[in-house]
Amino acid sequence: MSLSASSPSALMTSKCPITRLKPRLPFLTVVLCAFSFLALFYTERITFFSSISIFKLKSCPRKPAPSKTREKPTAEERSTNPLTDDRFEFDAEECNIANGKWVFNRSMKPLYTDQSCPYLDRQVSCVKNGRKDSDYRQWEWQPEDCTLARFNAEIALNKVRGKRLMFVGDSLQRGQWQSFVCMVEWMIPADKKSLNRGSFLSVFTAEEYNATIEFYWAPFLVHSNSDNPIIGDPKQRILRVDSVAKHSKYWTNVDILVFNSYVWWMSVAKIKSVWGSFENGEEGYEEFDTPIAYTMGLKTWANWVDSNVNPNMTRVFFTTMSPTHTRSMDWGRVNGSKCFNETKPIRNRNFWGSGSDKGMMSVVSKIVNKMKVPVTFINITQLSDYRIDAHSSIFTETNGKLLTAEQKADPLRHADCIHWCLPGVPDTWNQILFAHL
């Protein structure tokens, strides 16, 4: 009754039945709600546009709900307009770093050149060796789901302050070490830094940071008769897949270890191995298919890590295999000469070349997943496989000498499609390592 007493129609006549009011009250409620919603929406619009600068300063923590009226922003849009970037900040647990694309960025400048950094080998100093094009240095890796922070030399040096950072492996790992050194050394006064090169261990020292950035040569991780001096004929190399003792004494008391081993295993179909000593030479070896020998060797390495590394004191990383590009047929260039004269990355997101052996990669994954000590992968294989344009090619040296004009004219035989120009792709590997530290 109180409802009818407050109704205008009830005041006009008492003959009107109260049931006639029912359809009108919901209608009034709908109208009032509509006005409230419009007022709220207008207020939210004002708030959004007044605070838009906040979104420019930090990445969104999660992706917004998909919109039917706007397509997902392209990588090019992301790099030029932060408001269109819907990726979250790098999180090792959440981001698949291998899922992404190379984006050309003319404004990006390397932190060093092969002329400005005095610590680069001639093998990777492509511009100094005559390479004229420079676009290969302007490609930036953009993961699909997260933002990868630019390498910051000052922050990187502070992260290794009071520590030993050591890269362990073959010449590709040496390239990653040289890249890291060159990305930070320009921050350090000339009288506060030094580099001591050895046949196995090379050490860059940053005195003000009480830090060393080191490289240890162990191409198989386990012992071999080709560690030093190198035996050129892969068929003459003999391994001890059951021991790392000769090398591992240099790995103790290191704060950050970055391992890698792949390319040297792939030079022959069968690996020779002895047990206990090389003294018997050719007489005492056994032959194993490469994946089996690789498995045995990595298990030996893993056992050492589990038995000798304190995860509270030392972080362990493993750089996944660096792809080779020796078959231009892989990317559809029938009459090509390996990676020679390639100037752009492969854009096909499904590309996987013959120089990246998934079986060997799975060996590493299975072994690491069973280890007690946590090992973090620096997953560089897929992103590097696109970069057919970034190898040393003919702008390199062999046997300590730059290629002659005659050798350069025969790239099918002499182009180096294993190692990478620096600055170049290994800088991105270190950008990923930097994000993990």
Side-chain angles (χ1 to χ4, degrees), residues 202-393:
S202 298
V203 181
F204 173 82
T205 302
E207 292 180 16
E208 291 182 313
Y209 295 87
N210 188 29
T212 59
I213 304 168
E214 309 174 30
F215 169 70
Y216 185 82
W217 170 259
F220 294 104
L221 298 183
V222 295
H223 298 181
S224 85
N225 66 346
S226 185
D227 290 338
N228 189 33
I230 295 172
I231 296 175
D233 183 359
K235 295 180 180 180
Q236 301 303 315
R237 296 171 184 169
I238 304 173
L239 279 60
R240 279 192 58 191
V241 294
D242 64 332
S243 179
V244 295
K246 178 182 174 183
H247 300 315
S248 60
K249 61 185 178 183
Y250 294 96
W251 308 343
T252 57
N253 301 318
V254 176
D255 300 281
I256 305 167
L257 284 162
V258 186
F259 293 97
N260 167 263
S261 186
Y262 169 68
V263 169
W264 275 52
W265 295 85
M266 301 305 294
S267 55
V268 288
K270 288 185 178 291
I271 299 287
K272 296 176 181 178
S273 180
V274 296
W275 311 95
S277 174
F278 292 119
E279 292 180 1
N280 294 329
E282 291 290 320
E283 297 178 6
Y285 71 82
E286 293 183 61
E287 281 193 326
F288 300 96
D289 290 339
T290 295
I292 296 174
Y294 190 56
T295 301
M296 291 189 291
L298 282 189
K299 282 184 176 179
T300 300
W301 162 81
N303 288 336
W304 179 88
V305 172
D306 279 344
S307 301
N308 294 275
V309 169
N310 179 352
N312 295 320
M313 302 293 292
T314 301
R315 293 194 66 181
V316 182
F317 294 88
F318 197 100
T319 304
T320 62
M321 60 188 180
S322 175
T324 63
H325 294 107
T326 58
R327 291 185 74 251
S328 57
M329 283 281 293
D330 287 352
W331 54 92
R333 200 175 296 282
V334 179
N335 297 317
S337 298
K338 302 193 288 187
C339 65
F340 172 70
N341 232 16
E342 298 292 350
T343 58
K344 292 181 180 180
I346 292 170
R347 305 310 293 266
N348 177 8
R349 298 278 289 272
N350 296 319
F351 176 79
W352 188 278
S354 59
S356 303
D357 192 306
K358 290 185 177 181
M360 297 286 277
M361 200 168 181
S362 68
V363 168
V364 183
S365 179
K366 290 175 182 177
I367 290 173
V368 166
N369 287 338
K370 294 179 181 179
M371 293 174 65
K372 294 184 297 183
V373 173
V375 176
T376 302
F377 282 118
I378 305 175
N379 192 354
I380 59 99
T381 305
Q382 180 69 81
L383 65 91
S384 303
D385 211 7
Y386 300 132
R387 295 305 307 274
I388 56 175
D389 60 312
H391 288 288
S392 301
S393 186

Side-chain angles (χ1 to χ4, degrees), residues 14-32:
S14 60
K15 293 182 181 180
C16 295
I18 196 167
T19 55
R20 295 182 61 187
L21 294 175
K22 291 181 179 179
R24 301 184 64 182
L25 283 173
F27 175 78
L28 291 173
T29 303
V30 170
V31 171
L32 289 173

